Amino acid sequence: MERVIVSMQDPDMGMKMRNQRLLITVIPHAMTGRDIVDWLIQKYTITEEEALHIGNFLVKYGYIYPLKEPRNLCLKQDETPYRFQTPYYWTSTRWPASELDYAIYLAKKNIRKQGELIEYEKECYNALHKRINHTWDFVVMQAREQLRASKQRRKADRIVLECQEQAYWLINRPPVSRYSDVMLYMWCLPLKNKLCMFVWVCSFVKYCEQYQDHDPIMQGCLPSNPWITDDIMYWNMNSETVTMPTKLRVERWSFSFMELLNDPLGRKELLTYLEKEFSAENLCFWQACEEVRHGEASKIAAKVDEVYKQFLAPGASRWVNIDSKTMEKTLEGIKHPHRFVLDDAQMHIYFLMKKDSYPRYLKSELYKNLLAKAIVPQETKKSVFPFMRRQRHSSPSPALVTQTAEDNGKAKPSAAKANAGTASQI
Amino acid sequence: MCDQTFVAITFGPCDSCSQNKPLMNIYLQNEPVNYCSLCVELMACQGLAKGETVSTLRAESENLKAKLEEERAKLHDVELHQVAEKVETLGQFVIKTRRTLKGHGNKVLCMDWCRDKRRMVSSSQVIMRSAAVCVLQEHAVTMPCTWVMACAYAPSGCVIACGGLDNKCSVYPLSLDKNENLAAKKKSVAMHTNYLSACSFTNSDMQLLTSSGDGTCALWDVESGQLLQSFHGHSADVLSLDLAPSETGNTFVSGGCDKKANVWDMRSGQNIQSFETHESDINSVKYYPSGDAFATGSDDATCRLYDLRADREVAIYSKESIIFGASSVDFSLSGRLLFAGYNDYNINVWDVLKGTRVAILFGHENRVSTVRVSPDGTAFCSGSWDNTLDFNPV
């Protein structure tokens, strides 16, 4: 990029410069957007589109900055004035923009304009004040010194310098709120480690709590644990093909997208919902990709071909919406199909469903109705054949067994052996 | 012409440390100077005037860095049981054996549950049996080798894989016809150069993951018997493996006699993470239900929990009174309980979060070789060298 810039500034073959009037001061060496594009077209014999494209990059990387709307970092092919950025501020020559520099810049701006920092700049300023507080004396001192030195320059120069500095910082500290998170990330490294560890370790506690009600060993299960009562109603109620699922099961779908997909009934429900939203092809595509990944090696080529015809070919009946980069890569890979050729596309669609369709499904009427109608099984009553069974109770929550009933957790091996004969009975 | 209204040196010798670096133009006591960024930072932090030696500053910064590392190491000590202090303590557990299967004539070495939650396959020194515990059928297949050390049920429930000292893993289709000679339909899939220690189907009936005494794990295509991927990295026998329950479904963990537990990427064959804190052979590995961690049972009489994101061990489950190795571990459905079978014939039930033992189960007359919780979490089954399998719901 710098070669282009240098040749642009060539006094003979370079850009045509004009003087620009900013209020009452004249700023020399300005050029219009149109001139830039024209020069690029002429010098490199390229199309207008390409010239605009290159020009945009020059602006985005800070080699040229706009004068009228400094925050809008793009090249406009009209009379909008631009200037070259001084090499001092080029990204290649300059040291990495540090917190200290930015703090000095903001302090200068604050002093100069007396609190006219815009919103995100104010936030950054306060954050920096907290973070590098130990250097704040230096920051303020430097800001004052630099301002004082600049006052000794001509007004035009001063304005130019201000513009340059402002442009530099707009490139390096874009006003996106996410950046402050990145800054926080980089500066709070020791703190981050501890926070992260804490978060990760807490996740186990959260997971256990979330699933506790679903863990038959912890909470017992309704109607009863089949292993204890020999009553398989629990399994029947939770089988794959049941018409009305239990409440616990439907609740579990809301824990994570994976839970919903892993349950065949959940998957069916999701498909119904997606059909209403006209995005059912996403789930079908995902399922087809799973089959490719886990299926027989000999059938991969055929399956991939089918997936292509159904989901990826232009004009396909169930075309899935993948971003162009992934689509290109996938189509290229399909020419030599292997087991993982659809992985990128599958991942894309999976996360699309997870972030978009899944939360909406959980909020939908379909899900809420199902949850309301879902069964809460009753505890089974005592068996008709009491003499064949031991003391029976339908799986009480073992964690709450009181002291009188327990016997220190030791199993009763004799009782177990006596039951060996019932092993093969229903 | 570009704007260069003042002369600015951007690269050269720093006025303070004299090294050639990118320079900043700053003002000190009303005079412009050129410092490199490190010197500026140091000066800013110490509030120095121009002229103070940088070497003392450097020494101090090294000191600070060392202290930071120390603090960081200390901060790493966020242990699971500390975080779980506020969690309700579990009461004492009453766990009773409900069923015992005595059909094996030899030591039970391995078992696996079917996804339908009520059938299981178990293997022993000679025989591999599949028993449907709540349903009336049983099959027994005699294997042409001793010590069938690994067995697994396929997700569809129609096929079983097993192997052992014959260095192979064979696949048997199940049928409802009791009289069918299953041995005739056997299909050899995996071939290793040493005994087969563990096997598991991936998400479908078509792929089989095996681990072997030759120190490798391998992924096989069942239909053709072709080796799809091999995993090298253990320096001794691999004793156990487990597949991750993650959304992308691409990783698995293996534990071996080299005291290491390795996490592998199935697609590339790469060893992604490695954990080496055990003091002896790792006999068993099992993922935590969320897929973010896994537990190991080892001959050093401890079980440990490793967090994959933090990349370190977060809990140890051990007691001074336990001196025999743990041969097999498994989690309950919520991950709150860890069932571990030991060579002292007992099963210890640990509270995963608090690190304490909540129950001991006696009932076997020889070492416990395998412990598996049923897929819906209603019961767990333990197999032992006393030739029995015990089913224990609560």
Side-chain angles (χ1 to χ4, degrees):
Chain A
M1 266 190 279
E2 283 167 13
R3 257 187 310 125
V4 176
I5 291 291
V6 168
S7 60
M8 275 173 121
Q9 294 170 2
D10 188 282
D12 300 318
M13 296 293 288
M15 301 270 318
K16 233 177 28 179
M17 294 297 173
R18 287 176 212 154
N19 288 344
Q20 180 225 14
R21 289 194 87 85
L22 191 70
L23 299 176
I24 47 168
T25 340
V26 176
I27 316 280
H29 314 310
M31 52 213 171
T32 64
R34 181 168 296 146
D35 284 345
I36 297 177
V37 176
D38 288 342
W39 186 89
L40 282 169
I41 295 176
Q42 196 212 24
K43 165 91 181 178
Y44 294 107
T45 33
I46 49 179
T47 61
E48 191 174 311
E49 200 182 323
E50 205 177 336
L52 201 60
H53 188 73
I54 297 180
N56 256 314
F57 272 112
L58 291 175
V59 176
K60 281 210 160 48
Y61 278 88
Y63 289 99
I64 298 178
Y65 61 93
L67 289 168
K68 283 253 173 74
E69 283 168 50
R71 297 186 198 292
N72 192 0
L73 289 172
C74 64
L75 186 68
K76 288 201 201 133
Q77 201 185 344
D78 51 19
E79 300 300 313
T80 328
Y82 293 86
R83 298 191 89 203
F84 289 112
Q85 179 68 287
T86 167
Y88 183 66
Y89 283 121
W90 283 0
T91 12
S92 53
T93 50
R94 183 110 171 171
W95 62 94
S98 74
E99 298 299 303
L100 204 55
D101 296 333
Y102 194 44
I104 296 175
Y105 165 67
L106 287 175
K108 270 201 299 192
K109 204 164 171 189
N110 208 10
I111 296 173
R112 203 171 58 224
K113 288 198 176 170
Q114 285 305 326
E116 262 186 42
L117 292 174
I118 55 176
E119 209 39 62
Y120 87 96
E121 281 177 348
K122 273 197 197 130
E123 279 172 33
C124 289
Y125 189 65
N126 292 331
L128 282 168
H129 183 78
K130 273 195 216 119
R131 266 209 300 282
I132 50 172
N133 198 284
H134 51 286
T135 65
W136 210 250
D137 292 335
F138 178 74
V139 166
V140 173
M141 184 265 282
Q142 271 303 300
R144 287 214 185 96
E145 291 286 334
Q146 288 181 12
L147 278 175
R148 200 189 50 77
S150 73
K151 277 201 175 76
Q152 293 167 359
R153 302 216 170 92
R154 284 186 359 235
K155 181 142 194 215
D157 288 345
R158 208 183 328 141
I159 295 183
V160 161
L161 282 171
E162 275 168 29
C163 287
Q164 286 172 347
E165 208 180 356
Q166 182 184 48
Y168 175 73
W169 286 110
L170 279 171
I171 307 277
N172 281 288
R173 290 286 189 271
V176 185
S177 61
R178 257 179 269 133
Y179 197 91
S180 54
D181 295 331
V182 176
M183 288 204 289
L184 196 67
Y185 171 93
M186 291 200 292
W187 272 84
C188 297
L189 223 42
L191 201 63
K192 170 208 169 221
N193 277 341
K194 183 175 186 184
L195 275 174
C196 276
M197 271 300 302
F198 194 74
V199 164
W200 290 326
V201 165
C202 275
S203 72
F204 297 125
V205 177
K206 267 194 345 207
Y207 187 91
C208 286
E209 275 173 9
Q210 192 180 38
Y211 280 83
Q212 183 159 319
D213 286 341
H214 299 255
D215 188 345
I217 294 186
M218 303 278 300
Q219 295 285 123
C221 58
L222 298 170
S224 62
N225 190 325
W227 297 99
I228 299 180
T229 60
D230 291 338
D231 170 25
I232 56 171
M233 188 130 84
Y234 177 72
W235 286 333
N236 289 339
M237 288 181 113
N238 283 308
S239 75
E240 286 184 16
T241 50
V242 78
T243 36
M244 189 48 67
T246 58
K247 214 181 192 84
L248 275 182
R249 187 174 175 182
V250 180
E251 261 174 27
R252 207 166 151 176
W253 297 345
S254 67
F255 290 172
S256 76
F257 190 41
M258 207 169 69
E259 287 283 350
L260 180 64
L261 282 184
N262 280 344
D263 187 346
L265 195 64
R267 214 187 274 197
K268 214 171 69 168
E269 288 291 313
L270 183 66
L271 190 65
T272 318
Y273 175 73
L274 288 179
E275 269 163 9
K276 290 202 180 133
E277 301 255 312
F278 303 107
S279 51
E281 66 272 3
N282 287 340
L283 186 58
C284 298
F285 176 70
W286 181 83
Q287 253 170 247
C289 290
E290 282 286 289
E291 274 168 38
V292 170
R293 235 168 22 136
H294 297 292
E296 297 105 314
S298 54
K299 297 197 181 152
I300 288 182
K303 282 189 185 165
V304 169
D305 191 46
E306 240 195 75
V307 167
Y308 171 73
K309 284 205 194 90
Q310 260 201 342
F311 298 102
L312 297 172
S317 56
R318 313 181 83 176
W319 192 76
V320 280
N321 195 0
I322 313 176
D323 69 287
S324 49
K325 204 171 77 163
T326 316
M327 179 67 95
E328 249 181 68
K329 203 168 148 199
T330 311
L331 291 178
E332 192 58 43
I334 286 182
K335 295 185 188 151
H336 309 281
H338 58 90
R339 190 174 292 271
F340 304 110
V341 72
L342 295 169
D343 265 11
D344 287 332
Q346 185 186 16
M347 194 76 46
H348 181 92
I349 292 291
Y350 179 85
F351 283 112
L352 188 70
M353 287 196 289
K354 181 177 173 183
K355 296 216 174 101
D356 184 40
S357 315
Y358 175 61
R360 280 191 290 119
Y361 169 68
L362 290 181
K363 294 191 198 132
S364 70
E365 287 306 316
L366 194 68
Y367 179 73
K368 287 189 186 152
N369 284 341
L370 191 64
L371 193 59
K373 283 194 264 171
I375 309 174
V376 177
Q378 296 290 314
E379 271 188 64
T380 47
K381 307 197 181 71
K382 284 218 151 84
S383 127
V384 187
F385 307 102
F387 56 87
M388 273 200 63
R389 307 270 180 232
R390 300 176 310 283
Q391 186 75 26
R392 257 194 61 221
H393 40 172
S394 60
S395 335
S397 178
L400 303 174
V401 169
T402 59
Q403 297 231 296
T404 49
E406 60 96 314
D407 53 345
N408 293 326
K410 290 193 181 134
K412 297 192 171 93
S414 47
K417 294 260 163 56
N419 272 328
T422 60
S424 47
Q425 283 183 13
I426 298 263
Chain B
M1 277 272 277
C2 70
D3 304 313
Q4 199 66 353
T5 51
F6 60 94
V7 172
I9 306 171
T10 55
F11 191 87
C14 167
D15 282 345
S16 151
C17 63
S18 318
Q19 287 178 19
N20 273 354
K21 281 187 180 175
L23 297 176
M24 289 171 75
N25 308 118
I26 58 170
Y27 291 87
L28 286 174
Q29 292 163 348
N30 301 336
E31 277 182 37
V33 289
N34 295 323
Y35 271 20
C36 70
S37 52
L38 178 63
C39 297
V40 172
E41 298 274 353
L42 289 173
M43 196 176 57
C45 293
Q46 295 291 322
L48 292 175
K50 177 171 92 170
E52 200 118 331
T53 52
V54 180
S55 48
T56 52
L57 289 178
R58 282 238 167 80
E60 235 186 286
S61 84
E62 291 298 325
N63 247 347
L64 280 170
K65 264 195 233 163
K67 268 199 205 145
L68 255 178
E69 277 306 322
E70 219 180 81
E71 286 301 316
R72 196 180 292 181
K74 268 193 244 160
L75 293 176
H76 264 181
D77 267 341
V78 182
E79 296 285 339
L80 181 51
H81 63 89
Q82 291 169 321
V83 171
E85 258 159 44
K86 301 218 179 87
V87 178
E88 221 178 273
T89 318
L90 297 174
Q92 287 287 347
F93 268 77
V94 180
I95 302 184
K96 299 193 168 106
T97 307
R98 303 288 167 174
R99 303 238 194 298
T100 308
L101 287 189
K102 294 179 117 185
H104 274 289
N106 301 91
K107 305 186 164 93
V108 176
L109 298 174
C110 179
M111 59 122 350
D112 189 21
W113 285 92
C114 177
R115 281 197 193 174
D116 76 349
K117 310 147 201 168
R118 18 184 154 173
R119 282 195 287 232
M120 32 78 56
V121 62
S122 62
S123 70
S124 81
Q125 277 178 293
V126 174
I127 286 179
M128 183 213 31
R129 312 184 78 230
S130 97
V133 189
C134 263
V135 182
L136 200 52
Q137 280 159 346
E138 272 182 24
H139 292 280
V141 180
T142 310
M143 300 282 290
C145 76
T146 54
W147 291 86
V148 183
M149 301 168 75
C151 59
Y153 232 114
S156 67
C158 302
V159 165
I160 288 176
C162 63
L165 284 187
D166 56 351
N167 298 1
K168 291 198 286 220
C169 191
S170 319
V171 164
Y172 298 80
L174 285 179
S175 68
L176 291 177
D177 184 356
K178 257 183 102 164
N179 294 331
E180 188 120 25
N181 186 2
L182 283 185
K185 293 224 178 128
K186 148 185 144 162
K187 184 177 166 166
S188 264
V189 171
M191 290 280 294
H192 279 280
T193 52
N194 209 332
Y195 67 91
L196 193 88
S197 53
C199 65
S200 168
F201 282 90
T202 61
N203 275 355
S204 78
D205 287 7
M206 299 301 153
Q207 288 179 307
L208 191 62
L209 191 60
T210 60
S211 70
S212 160
D214 63 9
T216 65
C217 305
L219 184 66
W220 308 85
D221 176 53
V222 171
E223 200 189 19
S224 60
Q226 198 194 11
L227 172 69
L228 296 173
Q229 184 68 257
S230 73
F231 306 90
H232 297 264
H234 278 285
S235 46
D237 304 12
V238 184
L239 294 181
S240 153
L241 58 82
D242 189 30
L243 281 154
S246 80
E247 347 185 63
T248 46
N250 267 336
T251 61
F252 72 95
V253 64
S254 68
C257 288
D258 54 357
K259 312 176 201 164
K260 284 204 290 211
N262 289 339
V263 181
W264 307 87
D265 174 23
M266 279 202 280
R267 213 182 124 159
S268 61
Q270 295 261 345
N271 178 1
I272 315 177
Q273 279 172 290
S274 186
F275 301 88
E276 195 170 352
T277 61
H278 268 292
E279 291 153 22
S280 183
D281 304 354
I282 296 180
N283 293 318
S284 168
V285 290
K286 206 83 179 79
Y287 267 98
Y288 186 81
S290 70
D292 294 325
F294 65 92
T296 56
S298 155
D299 273 346
D300 64 3
T302 65
C303 299
R304 294 173 203 234
L305 187 69
Y306 295 93
D307 186 323
L308 292 169
R309 293 159 302 180
D311 199 26
R312 56 179 278 256
E313 175 190 298
V314 289
I316 303 187
Y317 308 102
S318 66
K319 236 176 144 72
E320 278 195 18
S321 55
I322 302 177
I323 49 174
F324 282 84
S327 58
S328 177
V329 294
D330 202 357
F331 283 100
S332 72
L333 190 134
S334 63
R336 185 69 195 270
L337 299 174
L338 181 69
F339 297 95
Y342 288 77
N343 293 339
D344 61 358
Y345 316 170
N346 299 336
I347 299 173
N348 290 314
V349 184
W350 299 92
D351 180 337
V352 169
L353 299 180
K354 292 197 182 274
T356 55
R357 182 172 62 181
V358 292
I360 320 175
L361 300 177
F362 305 95
H364 277 293
E365 289 158 5
N366 206 325
R367 54 161 90 180
V368 178
S369 56
T370 169
V371 172
R372 295 294 276 262
V373 175
S374 75
D376 62 354
T378 48
F380 73 92
C381 173
S382 59
S384 152
W385 281 18
D386 65 359
N387 310 352
T388 63
L389 285 150
D390 280 352
F391 292 86
N392 310 296
V394 189

